[in-house]
Coordinates of all heavy atoms in Angstrom, one line a residue:
P314 N -24.7 19.6 51.6 CA -26.1 19.4 51.1 C -26.2 18.7 49.8 O -25.3 18.8 48.9 CB -26.5 20.9 50.9 CG -25.5 21.7 51.6 CD -24.3 20.9 51.7
A315 N -27.2 17.8 49.6 CA -27.4 17.0 48.5 C -27.3 17.8 47.2 O -26.6 17.4 46.2 CB -28.7 16.3 48.6
A316 N -27.9 19.0 47.2 CA -27.9 19.8 45.9 C -26.6 20.2 45.5 O -26.2 20.2 44.3 CB -28.8 21.0 46.2
D317 N -25.7 20.5 46.5 CA -24.3 21.0 46.2 C -23.5 19.8 45.6 O -22.8 20.0 44.7 CB -23.6 21.5 47.5 CG -24.2 22.8 47.9 OD1 -25.1 23.3 47.3 OD2 -23.7 23.3 49.0
I318 N -23.7 18.6 46.3 CA -22.9 17.5 45.8 C -23.3 17.2 44.3 O -22.5 17.0 43.4 CB -23.2 16.2 46.6 CG1 -22.9 16.5 48.1 CG2 -22.3 15.0 46.1 CD1 -23.1 15.3 49.0
Q319 N -24.6 17.2 44.1 CA -25.1 16.9 42.8 C -24.6 17.9 41.7 O -24.3 17.5 40.6 CB -26.6 16.8 42.8 CG -27.2 16.2 41.5 CD -28.8 16.1 41.7 OE1 -29.4 16.5 42.6 NE2 -29.3 15.4 40.7
H320 N -24.6 19.1 42.2 CA -24.1 20.2 41.2 C -22.6 20.1 41.0 O -22.1 20.2 39.8 CB -24.4 21.6 41.8 CG -23.9 22.7 41.0 ND1 -24.4 23.1 39.8 CD2 -22.8 23.5 41.2 CE1 -23.7 24.0 39.3 NE2 -22.7 24.3 40.2
E321 N -21.8 19.8 42.0 CA -20.3 19.9 41.9 C -19.8 18.5 41.3 O -18.8 18.5 40.6 CB -19.7 20.1 43.2 CG -19.7 21.5 43.6 CD -19.2 21.7 45.0 OE1 -18.1 21.2 45.4 OE2 -19.8 22.4 45.8
F322 N -20.5 17.4 41.6 CA -20.0 16.1 41.2 C -21.1 15.3 40.5 O -21.4 14.2 41.0 CB -19.5 15.4 42.4 CG -18.4 16.2 43.3 CD1 -18.7 16.6 44.5 CD2 -17.2 16.4 42.8 CE1 -17.8 17.4 45.3 CE2 -16.2 17.1 43.4 CZ -16.6 17.6 44.7
P323 N -21.6 15.8 39.4 CA -22.7 15.1 38.8 C -22.3 13.7 38.3 O -23.1 12.8 38.3 CB -23.1 16.0 37.6 CG -21.9 16.9 37.4 CD -21.2 17.0 38.7
T324 N -21.1 13.5 37.8 CA -20.7 12.2 37.3 C -20.7 11.2 38.4 O -21.2 10.1 38.3 CB -19.3 12.3 36.6 OG1 -19.2 13.4 35.8 CG2 -18.9 11.0 35.9
I325 N -20.0 11.6 39.5 CA -19.9 10.7 40.6 C -21.3 10.4 41.2 O -21.7 9.2 41.5 CB -19.0 11.3 41.7 CG1 -17.6 11.4 41.1 CG2 -19.0 10.4 43.0 CD1 -16.6 12.1 42.0
W326 N -22.1 11.5 41.4 CA -23.4 11.3 41.9 C -24.3 10.3 41.1 O -24.8 9.4 41.6 CB -24.1 12.7 41.9 CG -25.6 12.7 42.2 CD1 -26.6 12.5 41.3 CD2 -26.2 13.1 43.5 NE1 -27.8 12.6 42.0 CE2 -27.6 13.0 43.3 CE3 -25.7 13.5 44.7 CZ2 -28.5 13.2 44.3 CZ3 -26.6 13.7 45.7 CH2 -28.0 13.6 45.5
E327 N -24.3 10.5 39.8 CA -25.1 9.7 38.9 C -24.6 8.2 38.9 O -25.4 7.3 39.0 CB -25.1 10.2 37.5 CG -26.1 11.4 37.3 CD -25.8 12.3 36.1 OE1 -25.2 11.8 35.1 OE2 -26.1 13.5 36.2
R328 N -23.3 8.1 38.8 CA -22.8 6.7 38.7 C -23.0 5.9 40.0 O -23.4 4.8 40.0 CB -21.2 6.7 38.4 CG -20.9 7.1 37.0 CD -21.3 6.1 36.0 NE -20.5 4.9 36.0 CZ -19.4 4.7 35.4 NH1 -18.8 5.7 34.7 NH2 -18.7 3.5 35.5
L329 N -22.9 6.6 41.1 CA -23.2 5.9 42.4 C -24.6 5.6 42.6 O -25.0 4.7 43.2 CB -22.5 6.7 43.6 CG -21.0 6.8 43.5 CD1 -20.4 7.4 44.7 CD2 -20.3 5.4 43.2
R330 N -25.5 6.5 42.0 CA -26.9 6.2 42.1 C -27.3 4.9 41.4 O -28.2 4.1 41.8 CB -27.7 7.3 41.3 CG -28.0 8.6 42.1 CD -28.7 8.3 43.4 NE -29.4 9.3 44.1 CZ -29.0 9.9 45.2 NH1 -27.8 9.6 45.8 NH2 -29.7 10.8 45.8
T331 N -26.5 4.5 40.4 CA -26.8 3.3 39.6 C -26.5 2.0 40.5 O -27.0 1.0 40.2 CB -26.0 3.2 38.3 OG1 -24.6 3.0 38.6 CG2 -26.2 4.3 37.4
I332 N -25.7 2.2 41.5 CA -25.5 1.1 42.5 C -26.2 1.4 43.8 O -25.8 0.9 44.9 CB -24.1 0.7 42.7 CG1 -23.2 2.0 43.1 CG2 -23.5 0.1 41.5 CD1 -21.9 1.6 43.7
D333 N -27.2 2.3 43.8 CA -28.0 2.6 44.9 C -27.2 3.2 46.1 O -27.6 3.0 47.3 CB -28.8 1.4 45.4 CG -29.8 0.9 44.4 OD1 -30.4 1.8 43.7 OD2 -30.0 -0.3 44.2
L334 N -26.2 3.9 45.8 CA -25.4 4.6 46.9 C -25.8 6.0 46.9 O -25.5 6.8 45.9 CB -23.9 4.4 46.6 CG -23.0 4.7 47.8 CD1 -23.2 3.6 48.9 CD2 -21.6 4.6 47.3
E335 N -26.4 6.5 48.0 CA -26.8 7.9 48.1 C -25.7 8.6 48.9 O -25.7 8.6 50.2 CB -28.2 8.0 48.8 CG -29.2 7.2 48.0 CD -30.6 7.4 48.5 OE1 -30.8 8.2 49.4 OE2 -31.5 6.6 48.1
I336 N -24.8 9.3 48.2 CA -23.6 9.8 48.9 C -23.9 11.0 49.9 O -23.1 11.4 50.6 CB -22.5 10.1 47.9 CG1 -22.9 11.1 46.9 CG2 -22.0 8.8 47.3 CD1 -21.8 11.5 45.9
E337 N -25.1 11.6 49.7 CA -25.5 12.6 50.7 C -25.8 12.0 52.0 O -25.9 12.7 53.0 CB -26.6 13.5 50.1 CG -28.0 12.9 50.0 CD -28.2 11.9 48.8 OE1 -27.1 11.4 48.3 OE2 -29.3 11.7 48.5
K338 N -26.0 10.7 52.0 CA -26.4 10.0 53.3 C -25.4 8.9 53.7 O -25.2 8.7 54.9 CB -27.7 9.3 53.1 CG -28.9 10.2 52.9 CD -30.2 9.4 52.9 CE -31.3 10.2 52.1 NZ -32.1 9.3 51.4
E339 N -24.8 8.3 52.7 CA -23.9 7.1 53.0 C -22.5 7.4 52.7 O -22.1 8.2 51.8 CB -24.4 5.9 52.1 CG -25.8 5.5 52.4 CD -26.2 4.5 51.3 OE1 -25.9 3.3 51.3 OE2 -26.9 5.0 50.3
W340 N -21.6 6.6 53.4 CA -20.2 6.8 53.1 C -19.9 5.9 51.8 O -20.5 4.9 51.6 CB -19.4 6.2 54.2 CG -19.5 6.9 55.5 CD1 -20.1 8.1 55.7 CD2 -19.1 6.4 56.8 NE1 -20.0 8.4 57.0 CE2 -19.4 7.4 57.7 CE3 -18.4 5.2 57.2 CZ2 -19.1 7.2 59.1 CZ3 -18.1 5.1 58.5 CH2 -18.5 6.1 59.4
I341 N -18.8 6.4 51.1 CA -18.5 5.7 49.8 C -17.3 4.7 50.2 O -16.3 5.2 50.7 CB -18.0 6.7 48.8 CG1 -19.0 7.9 48.6 CG2 -17.7 6.0 47.4 CD1 -18.4 9.0 47.8
P342 N -17.5 3.4 49.9 CA -16.3 2.5 50.1 C -15.3 2.7 49.1 O -15.5 2.7 47.9 CB -17.0 1.1 49.9 CG -18.2 1.3 49.2 CD -18.6 2.7 49.3
V343 N -14.0 2.9 49.5 CA -13.0 3.3 48.6 C -11.7 2.5 48.9 O -11.4 2.1 50.0 CB -12.6 4.8 48.6 CG1 -13.7 5.6 47.9 CG2 -12.2 5.3 50.0
V344 N -10.9 2.2 47.8 CA -9.6 1.6 47.9 C -8.7 2.3 46.9 O -9.1 2.9 45.9 CB -9.6 0.1 47.5 CG1 -10.1 -0.8 48.6 CG2 -10.4 -0.1 46.2
P345 N -7.3 2.3 47.1 CA -6.4 2.9 46.1 C -6.4 2.0 44.9 O -6.6 0.8 45.0 CB -5.1 2.9 46.8 CG -5.3 2.8 48.3 CD -6.6 1.9 48.4
A346 N -6.2 2.6 43.7 CA -6.0 1.8 42.5 C -5.0 2.5 41.6 O -4.9 3.7 41.7 CB -7.3 1.6 41.7
Q347 N -4.4 1.8 40.7 CA -3.4 2.4 39.8 C -4.1 3.6 39.0 O -5.2 3.5 38.6 CB -2.9 1.4 38.8 CG -1.7 1.8 37.9 CD -2.0 2.8 36.8 OE1 -3.2 3.0 36.4 NE2 -1.0 3.5 36.3
H348 N -3.3 4.7 38.9 CA -4.0 5.8 38.3 C -3.1 6.5 37.2 O -3.6 6.9 36.2 CB -4.2 6.8 39.4 CG -5.0 8.1 39.0 ND1 -6.2 8.1 38.3 CD2 -4.6 9.4 39.1 CE1 -6.5 9.3 38.1 NE2 -5.6 10.2 38.5

Side-chain angles (χ1 to χ4, degrees):
D317 290 1
I318 305 177
Q319 194 173 5
H320 174 72
E321 283 173 45
F322 306 110
T324 310
I325 296 171
W326 171 280
E327 279 158 29
R328 289 292 289 278
L329 296 188
R330 276 306 196 252
T331 66
I332 52 163
D333 294 325
L334 195 69
E335 300 185 14
I336 57 176
E337 71 282 21
K338 294 186 203 142
E339 297 167 82
W340 298 347
I341 310 167
V343 289
V344 280
Q347 191 284 344
H348 182 58

